[in-house]
């Protein structure tokens, strides 16, 4: 599994995160919500403190009529460390 990647290899972990996030964005743009949710979820496991995957999941939950889940993901996104927020 991607989130079990050797954390020592920062370059590979960064590449995997970016690729996973890219797939999530493309899936969301194509309104392929189940795929997008899966990719955003995997990205969140790779970088738990990054707000973007949580924002993506919140958008999907909003689109699919799950306001409680959307609010939970927005809360996680807003709790992201400032260092991650400034990288967006």
């Amino acid at each position: 599994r991607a989130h079990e990647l050797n954390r020592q290899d920062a370059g590979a972990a960064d590449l995997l995160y970016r690729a996973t996030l890219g797939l999530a964005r493309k899936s969301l743009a194509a309104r392929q919500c189940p795929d997008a949710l899966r990719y955003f979820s995997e990205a969140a496991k790779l970088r738990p403190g990054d707000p973007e995957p949580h924002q993506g999941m919140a958008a999907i939950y909003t689109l699919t009529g799950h306001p409680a889940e959307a609010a939970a993901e927005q809360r996680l996104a807003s709790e992201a460390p400032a260092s991650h927020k400034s990288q967006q």
Side-chain angles (χ1 to χ4, degrees):
R1 304 233 178 216
H3 64 278
E4 296 170 353
L5 181 70
N6 182 351
R7 303 232 183 246
Q8 301 288 339
D9 191 348
D14 185 59
L15 179 61
L16 185 57
Y17 172 77
R18 290 177 186 274
T20 303
L21 198 57
L23 289 168
R25 290 174 184 149
K26 286 183 180 186
S27 296
L28 181 56
R31 296 287 197 243
Q32 296 172 343
C33 293
D35 290 339
L37 187 60
R38 182 170 41 100
Y39 289 128
F40 278 125
S41 179
E42 192 63 36
K45 290 175 190 172
L46 290 165
R47 280 200 197 156
D50 193 330
E52 187 172 354
H54 297 290
Q55 291 165 342
M57 287 188 280
I60 292 166
Y61 286 132
T62 298
L63 285 170
T64 58
H66 295 90
E69 291 88 345
E73 291 299 334
Q74 273 304 130
R75 197 167 26 262
L76 288 171
S78 68
E79 293 170 357
S83 63
H84 283 291
K85 290 179 180 177
S86 64
Q87 292 175 1
Q88 288 186 352

